[in-house]
Structures are given as structure tokens and as C-alpha cells.
Amino acid sequence: MKSYDIVIVGGGPAGLAAAASAKENGIDSILILERDRELGGILNQCIHNGFGLHTFKEELTGPEYAGRFIEKVEDLGIEYMLNTMVMDISTDKVVTAMNREEGLFEIQAKAIILAMGCRERPRGALNTPGYRPAGIFSAGTAQRLVNMEGYLPGREVVILGSGDIGLIMARRMTIEGAKVKLVAELMPYSGGLKRNIVQCLDDFNIPLKLSHTVVDIDGKDRVKGITLAQVDERNKPIPGTEEYIPCDTLLLSCGLIPENELSRGLGIDMEAVTNGPIVNESLETSAEGVFACGNVLHVHDLVDFVSEEAAMAGKNAVRYIKEARNEEVARIDMVPTDGVRYTVPKYIRLEKMEDTLTVRFRVGGVYKNCYISTYFDGERVMKRKRPVVAPGEMEEIKLSKAKLAEYPNLKTITVKIEEA
Amino acid sequence: MYDVIIIGGGVSGAASARELSRYKVNVCLLEKEHDVCCGTTKANSAIVHAGYDAANGSLMAKLNVRGNEMMEQLSKELDFPFKRNGSLVICRDEEDMPNLQALYERGVQNGVKDLRIISREELVEMEPNITDDAVAALYAPTGGIVCPFNLNIALAENANVNGVEFKFNTEVIDIKKVDDHFEIQTNNGVYEAKCIVNAAGVYADKLHNMVSENKIHITPRRGDYCLLDKTAGGHVSKTIFALPGKYGKGILVTPTVHGNLLIGPTAIDIEDKEGINTTAEGLQEVISKAGASVKNIPMRQVITSFAGLRAHEDGHEFIIGEVEDCEGFFDCAGIESPGLSSAPAIGEMVANILKEKMGLEEKEDFIATRKGVLDPEELSLEERKQLIKENPAYGNIICRCEMVTEGEIIDAIKRPLGATSLDGVKRRTRAGMGRCQSGFCAPRTMEILARELGVDMSEITKSGKGSEIIVGTNKDRL
């Protein structure tokens, strides 16, 4: 059996950044396993720009952003295997993978970094009634067809869900010659970035119908139309508001689900809100030496944050391999409440913490003129004024080790939204 | 001129074709869709009923019990998934116990083996997630679950290998009796046959009424279902029914033979014979009523919902046999539940009737077995390694949810009556049937279909003509 110090599952932005960071932190024996035919993951089909503003201080396209990291991985001489599917990960860190050339094979790892990304929520998960004809695509599938293969999935398009991929695809389909009739969003606010609403909808005069949903799909062979309806504050369709919209295509952009089948197979503890693994300050899961980063951990808004997080995972995997462990250390629990839906990490071991730690989270609604407040046990130690926070954008707080050390018996850190 | 033309490539037509292919007889099957298994057979509960439901002495009862008995052997011969997981009918009220007892007695009279009524204690032991108000249950160990797609496809493939011709995209428009034979007018020309088997599902009344003055009437009775992810497949181990009411068997909760959890169906009488759209009310009914028998169903794990049509004849009985006022025309009509369970017995019965009628002789070279699409997950590690060495396509995962390889998809396309559409591939291999519902694999499967069939990507369909996946290329009209 081959063995590596670190095996990274997934060669998208998270896997690439984790690999580069691990190498830079002093581990040479690294293998990336990627199921697609090239490195870069979903970025390869994200040909729009807007990536890398934080990381590179310039606007790159998805493939360009991925290219920077692929180059780095190549320059660092990190090994990778393409067209290779990981089938299973055992608790003793044996990774079983498969490809055309080598068949089924096993690799022993000292540490594993999970970087499998996420998948799109399908129509079935939305329980949208109606027929099941051709012409219903998840936005990402349509994106692949258009951007990677040059095929037009439809000519008259309705998009359900205002997630970022849906917004991006509204613009893409328009540029490629389709008529995008509208984007419908169940919630009273968009799930996507503000800049995408402006650049992808407003600039192309595509209406965004908030508090609307698709209540019926018509067409036995191919989509012929959909019925749109307004919803009430409980997201239930309001009778009498139905409107039939003729179209041949329905794109769905209704959320992303971290792809954690391998993690579940490993028996890792999962966080119900994110559908990702529960991790500590080192981004280590409940399986010792197994780390998670990127969209498999929680769905990010910007790839820059994926890269940043993944670099931490890579660095921590190196520390795990190099440092002594197994000592029992006290843990401080992170408690998300009052509008804060979750935090990554979920708990902190002070001894293992870096000088500063970025805690990322999302909020459950739109809040204006609010504070993001941090409490150490009962005491508010930080508050940051925000003009607006929304579910579509990730938020963060930074914790300093020095500050935490001032509270020797600290049990919980609470993060909440408060009125300013 | 064919000896026999079977109209309809659902499970009844395919079973009839397969059983007839044992004999020296020239058979052709006409199917209006692009593939077999496109109507009632594709969307139902996928249950092999034990047989306690149908009225004593009915053909339904007889063929159900017989079909159930035959299913296991058939699943081995034709290599399709079948599991005898047992079924439970849940009684939630002491006052209803006489109805449960009556069901038990009916089952015993129908010849269902090993039936017994079990106490709440035993029930909870069997099914920890059973509803808290369940007081007792009828337990039928012979109940089973089957893959309806592969049952139908296996029967058709085996019939085809044994000489039955299949004509797809061929819709019957009219039937005329001319002297001692039939002229069948279709959208693809006229076919002639000495005998006809009418296995047209919800359209069986239309065909019957073309040749007979004794009209029959079939109502499409729609059933909505929700299918849950495999993570929920272990929520129950047996098929859980509620005590039957006026409209069939109520909402059932069952594992599927592939390990998903299925809940449904509703029972809504409609006019449209193609009306397989789900409705908000229907799905809501499924969700709310399923909870009556089984608690804590993880509804967040729903991966798809669908609806199917039962071919409900007014008399609620299978109509199998020669039409009185039209010699040579054989009905196989009104095949609603327990039609899938009965399919092997229906095929046998149809073939026997025709054998008697036409004096058919058995073939010496009938091939009784068929191998399904090779599933590498059933191989040992070493066998699988060897398989990939011989055919690297088995090392290339296309559908990551169901772990389906390129090798399996090519097999599904290249075999007799092979897949020609995404749905065809899906029903034969499960590619696209998992939790992402083909979001990931559809473009890849399309590529394989285009390559293997030697057609352009623009010709690849979801389920036959009119359901093309892409409409053109970028900027083609700009």
C-alpha cells in the first residue's frame, strides 16, 4: 500500500490551497485526489470575473483564480491524481480510491484533509409539484453545459432561487442568446451577493421577484411553462396570486449542500445547520487527524475565504503530524444565537489556538444597523456595528488568544446579533 | 404477418412477451414510447404484495399470490433486484381490530402463507419507528420489494433475446379485424397479426373498445409519491401499510430494494391518461398521512417526488382473456395494484391462453436466464480490480451518488433493447437516481450516450422525442 503524510480529497480551491499550505509548512509527502479531469473544481466552469479581490487584490475569473493555485501546486511539486474517485475512507486513515488506470487502490495517510466541496439542492428536495419533463436544470448543471461545452440548455428561462449561481446564470444565459424572464426567490431577500444582483439582474433588466415561488411545472416532454405565486410570511403560496409564465427551461438555484458522504462513512460528527462536519479551532473533525475546509465544511460566499480557511487546514494538518498529541485539553464552546445560525469552528482548545482565530458564520435573516456581539460567558467583550447583514454573505469575528487567556475559566463564547 | 402482436411494453406486456417467447410463435411488441417501462410500471410502490388484499376468489387474489411465489425464482433467472422484506398492516385503534382480523382471514383464504397478527410489543421490536398509537399489525413475511424498472426491462430483454421483436415510438391508432386477422394502424405504418394482446395500461380501454361492443372503462388513478435519500432507507425495514380504506391501501412507508425510503401514494381519479404531474395537495397528503403509521420520517431527506397512474377499471378486477365478441383479441386490462406483484403470473396466464388457442409448441432453444447490467459493487475487491484492468471504463465513476461507472452505462446502452435516453440509462443503472438527481452526471451521461449511439448531443433526450435536453449551441441565434 502506498502511503503519504497528507491525503487531500478534492482538487478544487480548498484542496489546492490546503496542499500548498501544507507543503509550505514543511510536509513534502502530499497527494491530492481529484475526480474530475483537471484540477480547479467548480471554478473551471465559473468563467465570470470577481474572484480573488481579497486574496490577490485584483479581479480574476474562476479559471484564472484556480490557475494561480494550480501553478503553485505544480511549482511546489505536489503530487495529484486526476479522474480519481475516492470510494471510502477508513477510521485508520486508509483511503480507497479508483480510476481507469490503476483500478481500485488503497493509500495510507497520516492526516486527511476533506475538501470535497458541495452539490446543488435538486428539484425533488424542494417538493415543487408538477410534471418532470426535460428542461429542468440545477443552475450549476446549466453552467457546465454552457461554459464548458458550449450548449444552450434553453431559450426562455425562469430561474427559481436567487443563489449566486442562479444570478450568474441569468446573465450568462442572456449573453448566450436566451431570454431570462425572471428570477423568483421564496424569501423576502436574495440568497446571493448584492453585487451579483446588480451586475447580473439589474444591468440586464431581469426582474427579481422576492417572496415568490414556482407552484407548478407544465409540460410533459419539455417544460412549457411554470406557475409562479407569491408567498406569505410563512412561505406558503397565496391563493389568487398565481401567474402562468411560458418558458422552456427552469433553472434551480436553491441552495448548496456540502458533499459529506465520505465524512458520514467515517462516522464524523456532523453539524445539522451546515450539513458539514463539526470542527475545532484547527478545523479538525471528530475523527482525529481528519480536517475539513471549504464548501464541504460550510458553504462559503467567496472563494477567497475558502482559500484562507483551507490554508489553515493545511497548516494544522502539518502541526498534527509533527506535534505530540492526545493530551486532554479544555474546550471552549462556541454558541451561535439570536440570528447567528452556526459558527465554524464549533469549539476552541486554547492551547492549540493560533494568536488570532477567524470564526465564520452566517445569519438567519436580514438585520439592519445591528451589532455583531461576542460574549465571553456572560460578558460582552466585543461588538462590531454593521449597517446590514444578510444570509447571502458570510460574516466573521476575530478572536485573539491573548484576550481569551485573560479569562482562565471561560466555558462559552456566544456570538449574536443585537440591535444597535 | 405476426402470429401475436402485444400492445404495450409495460410489465404486463413484457411478461406476456417473455412467457410467449418460450413457444414457437412469431411475436412483436408495439410500444408508443421510446423504451419499455414508461407508463404505469415506472411509477408505483415497487411492492410485491403478499396477497391478502384482493377479494376472495378474484383473479387479482389468485395472480397476486401466484406472482409473489414466482417472483423470487424469476429474480434469479433474470437477475433483477428483489427482496422479501415482509410487510405490516398497522392497526391504530382497538375498534378496528375486527377489520385487521378480516384482512387476516381473507389472506389465509387467498392462500397467503405465514400470515399472523402481531401485538404492539412484537411490532415495536420489528419496527422501532412505528407510530406510538399502533395497537397491533398483520404481519406478512412473504411481502417483498422489487425494482420495477429492472423487472420490466429484464422481461423485455429476455423476450427479445428469445425472438420477440420490439417496435418503439409506435402508437396504435386503430385496429380492424379483416377476415381471420387484425390490421393495426400505427403512426409507423400498418402491422398485421393473427392475435392481439392488449396490455396498454391506462389505454387498454381505448384499444378494447375499438374491437368490442362490450365497452370497458379505465380511470387513470393518480398516486403521488416522495422518495427519500438512502440515508433514510433504514427508517423502516418492512413495508408499512395502514389498514385499508375506501381508496386502496392508504399511504405506505417502505424501504426500496435499492435502499431508499418511499412514501405514498395518493389516490386521485383523473381524466388525462398522461396526467403524471404531482400536485401540492397530493404531496402534502403523502407527507401528512405517512406520519400516521411511522413516526419521525426525515422529510428533509426527500430527493424527488413523482406521480404514477393506476389503470383502474370500473369493475376493479384484472380483465385477462379473449374478448367475447372479437376472436383473437386478448385483453390484459385493468392491471392496477397488485399488478406488479402479479406480473409473472399474468405473463404465464396470457401465454397459456394463447398456447391453448393457437396450439403453440415449446421451443427447444428457449433461453431462460438473463444477466443484468454488471454491478461492480457486488464483486470482491480482487474481481473488481481485474474487471477494471480488462475494461478501464469500470474504473470511471460517472454518477457519484449511486457510484455508477462508465462501464455500466455503456453496458446499459449496448445490451439488447439498450438505453437510448437519460431515463433509459437511469432505469437500467441508477445513474442520476441518487441524491443530486443527475445534476452532476447528466452532462457526462449525455456525452456517453452521444458517443455510443453515434448521434449529436442535441439529439440526446430525457425520455424520447420531444424531451431533448439542450436546444442549441451558445449564441446560435444571435
Side-chain angles (χ1 to χ4, degrees):
Chain A
M1 195 189 308
K2 280 192 198 170
S3 67
Y4 286 85
D5 284 350
I6 300 177
V7 170
I8 299 171
V9 185
L16 292 169
S21 160
K23 177 88 181 188
E24 285 165 349
N25 280 284
I27 288 277
D28 288 327
S29 166
I30 302 168
L31 176 66
I32 303 172
L33 297 172
E34 166 56 43
R35 67 181 167 212
D36 217 332
R37 51 194 154 205
E38 53 195 339
L39 293 173
I42 206 72
L43 285 175
N44 289 324
Q45 68 181 50
C46 301
I47 63 172
H48 53 284
N49 65 351
F51 298 93
L53 277 168
H54 292 254
T55 313
F56 299 110
K57 309 294 175 219
E58 57 182 308
E59 274 200 83
L60 304 175
T61 65
E64 283 171 339
Y65 185 96
R68 300 255 172 128
F69 281 89
I70 294 169
E71 211 168 288
K72 202 167 175 186
V73 160
E74 300 272 11
D75 288 349
L76 290 168
I78 295 168
E79 283 183 57
Y80 57 86
M81 295 176 86
L82 302 177
N83 298 306
T84 302
M85 181 71 86
V86 173
M87 310 291 286
D88 181 60
I89 304 172
S90 72
T91 45
D92 52 358
K93 300 192 186 66
V94 174
V95 177
T96 306
M98 186 167 87
N99 65 28
R100 297 176 69 106
E101 289 72 33
E102 311 203 16
L104 261 179
F105 56 96
E106 294 178 324
I107 301 161
Q108 176 71 59
K110 286 182 188 163
I112 291 170
I113 299 176
L114 304 175
M116 291 89 78
C118 58
R119 63 165 177 270
E120 299 176 280
R121 194 180 295 280
R123 180 244 178 128
L126 311 171
N127 266 333
T128 308
Y131 286 94
R132 298 192 299 149
I136 305 170
F137 301 87
S138 65
T141 306
Q143 189 178 43
R144 182 190 158 101
L145 287 169
V146 173
N147 290 354
M148 307 285 278
E149 303 180 17
Y151 297 121
L152 200 58
R155 301 200 183 275
E156 303 223 306
V157 185
V158 167
I159 300 179
L160 175 61
S162 60
D164 287 310
I165 313 171
L167 300 174
I168 294 289
M169 283 313 292
R171 178 173 64 183
R172 279 299 296 145
M173 296 286 288
T174 305
I175 290 171
E176 297 304 342
K179 167 77 185 158
V180 177
K181 296 196 156 179
L182 59 93
V183 175
E185 169 59 56
L186 180 72
M187 306 304 286
Y189 48 82
S190 164
L193 295 169
K194 180 73 186 158
R195 73 168 195 225
N196 282 335
I197 293 170
V198 174
Q199 295 172 8
C200 300
L201 300 189
D202 298 352
D203 289 359
F204 292 85
N205 293 318
I206 298 167
L208 172 61
K209 302 273 237 178
L210 297 174
S211 297
H212 278 73
T213 195
V214 173
V215 293
D216 197 19
I217 299 171
D218 182 29
K220 288 170 184 175
D221 297 318
R222 174 86 197 189
V223 175
K224 276 163 53 184
I226 58 100
T227 304
L228 191 71
Q230 203 179 331
V231 298
D232 61 21
E233 57 284 352
R234 289 168 53 242
N235 297 334
K236 299 284 173 221
I238 302 170
T241 63
E242 296 88 356
E243 184 189 356
Y244 185 85
I245 316 273
C247 59
D248 65 6
T249 303
L250 176 66
L251 296 192
L252 303 172
S253 179
C254 301
L256 299 167
I257 307 169
E259 186 111 78
N260 272 300
E261 278 63 42
L262 288 169
S263 324
R264 287 199 184 85
L266 249 174
I268 283 175
D269 292 340
M270 304 294 290
E271 160 71 66
V273 177
T274 58
N275 278 310
I278 289 173
V279 294
N280 61 26
E281 78 301 319
S282 303
L283 304 174
E284 187 183 20
T285 68
S286 63
E288 194 191 277
V290 178
F291 299 80
C293 56
N295 284 347
V296 80
L297 178 55
H298 58 136
V299 176
H300 292 59
D301 54 351
L302 297 180
V303 70
D304 304 75
F305 300 139
V306 169
S307 304
E308 200 182 300
E309 182 179 276
M312 288 306 300
K315 187 178 177 185
N316 291 327
V318 171
R319 272 179 66 186
Y320 167 82
I321 290 170
K322 289 188 168 177
E323 285 178 11
R325 51 183 175 271
N326 288 336
E327 71 274 40
E328 278 294 314
V329 290
R331 50 186 269 180
I332 304 162
D333 286 321
M334 300 292 306
V335 180
T337 181
D338 296 73
V340 177
R341 296 187 66 225
Y342 70 89
T343 63
V344 169
K346 182 93 173 168
Y347 65 95
I348 295 167
R349 299 168 305 173
L350 190 59
E351 288 81 350
K352 300 282 178 184
M353 185 180 162
E354 304 255 325
D355 289 343
T356 60
L357 174 71
T358 304
V359 175
R360 296 199 160 89
F361 58 91
R362 287 197 194 233
V363 295
V366 177
Y367 300 89
K368 289 184 175 162
N369 292 320
C370 59
Y371 286 126
I372 294 171
S373 300
T374 308
Y375 286 76
F376 284 5
D377 288 330
E379 181 191 341
R380 181 158 78 178
V381 294
M382 285 192 287
K383 62 173 197 217
R384 186 156 46 98
K385 183 118 190 247
R386 299 279 280 122
V388 63
V389 294
E393 319 221 353
M394 232 163 56
E395 298 293 333
E396 63 176 46
I397 55 167
K398 289 202 191 294
L399 298 176
S400 91
K401 189 172 187 174
K403 182 84 176 166
L404 263 70
E406 291 170 20
Y407 295 76
N409 291 316
L410 184 58
K411 292 279 181 291
T412 61
I413 299 175
T414 303
V415 188
K416 61 168 87 166
I417 305 295
E418 291 181 318
E419 267 182 52
Chain B
M1 167 98 66
Y2 292 97
D3 294 328
V4 181
I5 280 184
I6 299 168
I7 302 170
V11 74
S12 301
S16 301
R18 192 257 179 173
E19 288 307 309
L20 271 175
S21 73
R22 294 176 183 275
Y23 302 101
K24 293 174 184 164
V25 58
N26 184 11
V27 183
C28 177
L29 186 148
L30 307 182
E31 168 55 53
K32 77 178 171 69
E33 301 295 331
H34 75 298
D35 198 352
V36 297
C37 196
C38 282
T40 292
T41 309
K42 83 167 180 199
N44 53 70
S45 306
I47 297 297
V48 178
H49 292 282
Y52 46 73
D53 241 344
N56 287 149
S58 66
L59 192 55
M60 278 183 172
K62 184 180 140 195
L63 295 183
N64 185 167
V65 173
R66 171 82 182 135
N68 179 302
E69 281 169 4
M70 293 170 74
M71 198 64 84
E72 191 158 351
Q73 177 63 27
L74 191 65
S75 75
K76 285 176 186 145
E77 281 178 12
L78 299 183
D79 194 19
F80 60 85
F82 166 68
K83 188 179 169 194
R84 228 177 256 294
N85 66 321
S87 67
L88 292 162
V89 184
I90 307 299
C91 176
R92 294 167 61 209
D93 194 331
E94 287 291 348
E95 280 184 20
D96 288 334
M97 283 304 286
N99 295 338
L100 197 69
Q101 185 64 32
L103 201 57
Y104 165 79
E105 279 158 21
R106 197 194 305 164
V108 171
Q109 285 189 36
N110 285 350
V112 181
K113 294 193 182 108
D114 306 325
L115 268 184
R116 63 192 171 91
I117 288 177
I118 60 170
S119 66
R120 173 171 173 82
E121 287 66 40
E122 196 177 346
L123 176 59
V124 172
E125 186 119 325
M126 271 183 193
E127 295 292 351
N129 287 318
I130 210 73
T131 178
D132 290 333
D133 54 8
V135 293
L138 177 64
Y139 174 43
T142 57
I145 43 183
V146 69
C147 172
F149 316 122
N150 272 307
L151 166 59
N152 194 159
I153 288 161
L155 287 164
E157 273 180 26
N158 189 237
N160 184 240
V161 165
N162 284 304
V164 176
E165 286 181 49
F166 282 71
K167 306 283 181 194
F168 294 108
N169 300 308
T170 302
E171 183 170 1
V172 173
I173 297 162
D174 199 12
I175 302 172
K176 281 201 186 73
K177 182 96 196 241
V178 182
D179 302 328
D180 61 342
H181 71 279
F182 292 94
E183 281 184 11
I184 304 172
Q185 197 194 331
T186 76
N187 59 332
N188 280 331
V190 176
Y191 289 82
E192 293 180 326
K194 292 176 192 157
C195 292
I196 290 177
V197 175
N198 169 22
V202 287
Y203 291 95
D205 56 347
K206 202 174 142 194
L207 297 186
H208 170 102
N209 295 342
M210 285 175 186
V211 300
S212 172
E213 286 311 309
N214 306 321
K215 305 298 181 193
I216 63 172
H217 177 246
I218 289 172
T219 306
R221 180 168 285 177
R222 202 189 75 224
D224 301 33
Y225 292 88
C226 293
L227 185 75
L228 280 72
D229 193 0
K230 286 180 172 175
T231 52
H235 198 70
V236 293
S237 66
K238 298 180 171 36
T239 302
I240 314 289
F241 299 97
L243 250 188
K246 184 179 157 205
Y247 279 112
K249 301 173 192 72
I251 301 292
L252 65 85
V253 180
T254 184
T256 70
V257 76
H258 296 289
N260 296 83
L261 191 74
L262 180 67
I263 62 176
T266 54
I268 298 154
D269 289 349
I270 60 170
E271 298 289 323
D272 184 356
K273 290 182 189 287
E274 302 284 328
I276 52 164
N277 54 319
T278 56
T279 63
E281 301 75 40
L283 295 176
Q284 195 46 50
E285 184 187 337
V286 169
I287 292 165
S288 60
K289 285 194 183 165
S293 318
V294 176
K295 60 185 178 184
N296 303 329
I297 297 173
M299 292 309 304
R300 279 185 65 180
Q301 302 294 320
V302 170
I303 59 172
T304 190
S305 47
F306 61 89
L309 301 179
R310 313 172 185 77
H312 173 69
E313 209 283 323
D314 291 356
H316 185 56
E317 171 65 312
F318 295 159
I319 303 173
I320 299 174
E322 191 165 14
V323 171
E324 238 174 64
D325 57 349
C326 186
E327 196 183 353
F329 189 98
F330 297 83
D331 272 330
C332 183
I335 311 298
E336 59 178 315
S337 179
L340 188 70
S341 320
S342 308
I346 290 173
E348 184 183 58
M349 182 173 171
V350 169
N352 279 336
I353 293 170
L354 281 155
K355 177 190 163 194
E356 292 298 314
K357 179 81 186 177
M358 305 178 85
L360 303 178
E361 282 174 49
E362 281 193 38
K363 276 180 198 163
E364 293 86 36
D365 56 353
F366 174 70
I367 301 162
T369 59
R370 163 260 187 194
K371 278 309 283 176
V373 172
L374 177 72
D375 181 358
E377 283 187 38
E378 285 174 8
L379 302 177
S380 71
L381 202 65
E382 284 314 307
E383 288 170 330
R384 195 162 182 181
K385 284 179 179 170
Q386 188 56 35
L387 175 68
I388 300 169
K389 198 172 277 175
E390 287 163 14
N391 185 350
Y394 283 100
N396 184 19
I397 296 275
I398 300 297
C399 167
R400 64 188 185 201
C401 301
E402 295 292 319
M403 290 291 184
V404 181
T405 64
E406 185 181 355
E408 290 156 81
I409 293 174
I410 293 172
D411 182 354
I413 296 168
K414 292 291 184 190
R415 60 182 33 240
L417 307 179
T420 57
S421 65
L422 283 185
D423 278 357
V425 169
K426 178 171 86 173
R427 291 188 196 123
R428 285 166 178 81
T429 65
R430 297 188 57 75
M433 216 175 266
R435 50 184 68 95
C436 93
Q437 288 286 297
S438 85
F440 178 79
C441 66
R444 292 161 175 84
T445 306
M446 285 167 67
E447 268 176 45
I448 298 169
L449 271 167
R451 186 187 72 209
E452 298 296 325
L453 297 174
V455 300
D456 191 75
M457 279 285 270
S458 63
E459 294 173 56
I460 302 301
T461 66
K462 178 175 185 287
S463 55
K465 227 169 174 33
S467 67
E468 285 73 17
I469 308 286
I470 58 170
V471 299
T473 55
N474 290 348
K475 295 191 171 70
D476 59 357
R477 289 202 191 155
L478 290 181

